[in-house]
Each structure stands twice: as C-alpha cells, then as structure tokens.
Amino acid sequence: MLDHDFYNRYTPTVARDLLGCFWVRECRGKIFRGMITETEAYRGFHDLGSHAAKGKTERNAVMFGPAGRVYVYLIYGMYWMLNIVTEKEGYPAAVLIRGVEPVIKSKVHKVSKVALDGPGKVTRFLQIDKALNGHDVTLGEKLWIERPKQLPRRKIIASPRIGIDYAKHARHWKWNFKLDAS
DNA sequence: TTCGCGATGGCCT
DNA sequence: GGCCATCGCGAAA
C-alpha cells in the first residue's frame, strides 16, 4: 500500500508514478480493483487550472491538508471527481484520476480490459461520492492504492491537461500523464 | 468518424 | 447569473 511519503512529493512526479498502480475499493463487502492509466497534476497557488488558485474555500480545503487524503467534488451537477492530495501540509496540490482499467474476472475466467477513459467513469466504477471527501488512503480502509508487483512496460505520454483552456499560461503545462495504448 | 448539445447542481462573482 | 478538472446521445458527414 502506498504511504504518506509517496504522496508527499512534487505533484507531477506523483502523478507519473501513480500510473500502473491499483486502486482498491472496499464497499459493502465487495472489492473493486483498477489500474490507473491516466492522471493529472494540479499544483500550488499560481496554477490557474487548479481550484486552489482562488485561495482556500470550504470546497477545496482538503487540498491544503496532509498528503494522502482524497479530494472529491461534484462537477456539472452529476459527476464526482477523484483526486489525491500531495505535497506538504499547507501547500495546495493534488492528482486527478482520469483513467482506470478495471480488473474484472468473468465467469469464464477471462480478464476483460474495458477502459474507463474519463474521471466521471472512474468514480462511478469505484463508487465514490462526497462521503469519501477527506478520506485518508494510507489507512488501508475503504479506499487505498497498491503498488503493482511489476509495472506495465508501457510508454508514458505527457500532454496539456483536459478542460482548462481558461487557465492562461498554465493551460500549456504538460501535467496530464497517460499510459500509451497497448 | 467528429460535432453539438442537454442534463444538472454547487460554487463564486 | 455564469461557469464548470464531464458524459452520452443523435445528427451530420
């Protein structure tokens, strides 16, 4: 299980290192697993694409807290966004989880590779909503992240982040990280 | 294949 | 009142 020290680092590095790791979600006696395939870094007071650029509010307060907590918020009235807080306490930063490949074993023991290629689809699969906002993923309860035995040998593509064209110069930062399709 | 748009509600000015 | 770190559908091409 990934610990506080893993998350308490430079956010784009954490975002990159999370690729290939596995979300584990324990909910109502069931376990859901999925490999992280796409992430995005949001960092500091001057990143105009980040909620924290407008200062601390009730909504984004978790971003200012200790690393390893989950920042969950609602967007477009219907989708929950899942982030994991990074860096030192007091410095607002987080990694948005944009893509996951669920590990699903069917009745014939085949492993399907259905890609969840969007942050709203990720939270639907992991059954995440506001109730988990602020949850500590270093506890190993309900929701946490595991390092894989072997990292996938897939190329990492760095691109500008999605949906933040309003963010002035920050829109060009290549803080979206994605495992190349294999 | 891409494009346009409606759903839907909390947040911020 | 406008905007938003989105998604899925249907039409156009």
Side-chain angles (χ1 to χ4, degrees), chain A residues 159-171:
Chain A
S159 319
R161 295 168 292 176
I162 310 291
I164 54 150
D165 288 350
Y166 57 85
K168 305 264 176 77
H169 59 293
R171 64 183 286 185

Side-chain angles (χ1 to χ4, degrees), chain A residues 133-148:
Chain A
N133 189 37
H135 177 76
D136 185 348
V137 299
T138 67
L139 297 176
E141 301 171 352
K142 295 183 185 175
L143 182 67
W144 65 94
I145 304 180
E146 289 177 355
R147 201 186 295 271

Side-chain angles (χ1 to χ4, degrees), chain A residues 42-60:
Chain A
Y42 290 84
R43 180 174 195 268
F45 303 92
H46 306 295
D47 175 2
L48 295 180
S50 169
H51 291 168
K54 291 175 182 168
K56 190 173 180 178
T57 67
E58 196 169 337
R59 177 174 68 155
N60 67 21

Side-chain angles (χ1 to χ4, degrees), chain A residues 97-171:
Chain A
I97 308 299
R98 290 195 62 91
V100 160
E101 282 178 6
V103 179
I104 300 170
K105 286 175 184 165
S106 74
K107 290 172 184 171
V108 287
H109 299 289
K110 282 184 180 173
V111 176
S112 67
K113 289 245 174 168
V114 182
L116 302 176
D117 56 345
K121 301 178 193 176
V122 170
T123 51
R124 203 192 326 164
F125 168 70
L126 293 175
Q127 302 190 29
I128 282 160
D129 62 18
K130 190 156 186 70
L132 278 167
N133 189 37
H135 177 76
D136 185 348
V137 299
T138 67
L139 297 176
E141 301 171 352
K142 295 183 185 175
L143 182 67
W144 65 94
I145 304 180
E146 289 177 355
R147 201 186 295 271
K149 295 186 182 84
Q150 188 173 1
L151 282 172
R153 282 205 296 266
R154 288 212 241 163
K155 201 164 64 175
I156 293 174
I157 303 170
S159 319
R161 295 168 292 176
I162 310 291
I164 54 150
D165 288 350
Y166 57 85
K168 305 264 176 77
H169 59 293
R171 64 183 286 185

Side-chain angles (χ1 to χ4, degrees), chain A residues 1-45:
Chain A
M1 184 176 65
L2 300 180
D3 59 14
H4 177 269
D5 287 345
F6 177 93
Y7 304 111
N8 188 26
R9 296 182 296 151
Y10 179 62
T11 308
T13 302
V14 177
R16 185 181 283 265
D17 288 353
L18 280 172
L19 296 176
C21 293
F22 286 82
W23 276 111
V24 186
R25 170 75 168 125
E26 199 171 9
C27 186
R28 291 199 287 269
K30 291 185 178 175
I31 294 215
F32 303 87
R33 284 173 194 276
M35 185 179 72
I36 298 171
T37 56
E38 186 179 355
T39 58
E40 241 163 45
Y42 290 84
R43 180 174 195 268
F45 303 92

